[in-house]
Amino acid sequence: MWDYQSVRDRFYQDVADEVSDAVQQGHVLDVGTGRGLLPIKIAQKNGRLKVYGMDISNKAIDSARRDALASGLENAPQFDVGDVSTLPFEDKFFDLVVSTFSLHHWPDRMAGLNEIHRVLKPGGEAWIYDHCKDPSLEARRQLRRDFGSLLAWFALAHLRFVSSALTVEQAWTILEDSSLKYQEKRLEMHGIFLLLWLKKTGAVAGK
């Protein structure tokens, strides 16, 4: 939906800004990158980052590679086909791993999250965003202030009916699973989206 897409586009830019602030240099991975919008925005924001995007769809990765080439960036992102449960990267490679609106597609969420743990450097973080089925009243009000009542109504309607949206309770169930390898974890609300924040213990990455 065009109206919901505008909300997501603003969100992608906010995430790109936060990534650039959090990691000054190093390697960043976007899991479930789709057409690669977020990695390109991150690379545009911070030229010292090497950004990678991975998706299970060959078609999406082909589009992402074309857009990366057209961007003209010297640090253009690298895009690869792959599955989150078997990431094609070595151990302790990334300073930060991000995923937006992809978690609900993973057949085995714990396997995917723990595979991300494997490729993170000690001290590295994983930011896993997804749709929230029950955003707070304040989040809904902020959405109306930012985008107007009509756009906000359509965006919230999309969340009510999309089967992929997670409730806060479902998100906590993921974080509290005993098989999850991360030592630090928390749940945050980012407007009408959820963030599962995860950290691998060790020295701070990207410093």
Side-chain angles (χ1 to χ4, degrees):
M1 297 173 64
W2 65 269
D3 36 67
Y4 186 62
Q5 189 60 48
S6 64
V7 177
R8 284 175 57 150
D9 286 347
R10 171 83 68 84
F11 171 77
Y12 283 134
Q13 188 59 60
D14 289 343
V15 173
D17 292 344
E18 291 173 7
V19 169
S20 182
D21 289 341
V23 185
Q24 302 305 309
Q25 59 185 8
H27 299 90
V28 174
L29 171 65
D30 179 32
V31 173
T33 194
R35 294 191 57 176
L37 177 62
L38 180 58
I40 290 174
K41 286 182 177 294
I42 295 172
Q44 289 171 334
K45 183 72 177 181
N46 187 339
R48 292 174 296 175
L49 292 176
K50 178 58 181 177
V51 190
Y52 297 75
M54 191 218 70
D55 200 278
I56 200 168
S57 167
N58 284 280
K59 184 177 180 180
I61 291 299
D62 287 343
S63 295
R65 287 170 175 165
R66 286 195 296 270
D67 290 345
L69 183 62
S71 72
L73 291 166
E74 291 185 7
N75 65 324
Q78 174 181 319
F79 292 103
D80 299 287
V81 176
D83 188 285
V84 67
S85 62
T86 53
L87 293 173
F89 304 103
E90 63 188 70
D91 295 357
K92 303 177 183 178
F93 185 73
F94 290 103
D95 299 273
L96 177 67
V97 176
V98 181
S99 178
T100 57
F101 317 118
S102 173
L103 176 67
H104 58 268
H105 291 302
W106 302 357
D108 187 333
R109 292 169 180 169
M110 289 305 116
L113 292 172
N114 286 332
E115 179 69 352
I116 289 172
H117 182 277
R118 178 185 68 79
V119 301
L120 276 172
K121 294 178 181 178
E125 298 176 5
W127 300 354
I128 313 298
Y129 296 92
D130 219 323
H131 308 98
C132 179
K133 196 77 170 180
D134 45 5
S136 67
L137 178 60
E138 177 53 34
R140 299 179 191 191
R141 288 172 174 167
Q142 187 62 51
L143 188 69
R144 295 186 184 98
R145 289 193 289 268
D146 290 345
F147 294 94
S149 297
L150 184 59
L151 248 96
W153 186 89
F154 279 110
L156 291 169
H158 177 85
L159 288 178
R160 282 196 297 273
F161 294 107
V162 66
S163 61
S164 62
L166 296 174
T167 66
V168 171
E169 182 180 1
Q170 288 170 329
W172 272 117
T173 298
I174 295 170
L175 288 180
E176 292 173 348
D177 191 294
S178 61
S179 66
L180 198 60
K181 294 182 178 179
Y182 299 84
Q183 291 75 22
E184 297 183 45
K185 48 195 174 182
R186 63 176 181 259
L187 179 64
E188 298 180 3
M189 296 299 304
H190 282 239
I192 61 172
F193 305 115
L194 290 167
L195 167 62
L196 281 68
W197 180 91
L198 305 161
K199 185 173 182 179
K200 185 174 183 176
T201 58
V204 177
K207 300 297 183 180

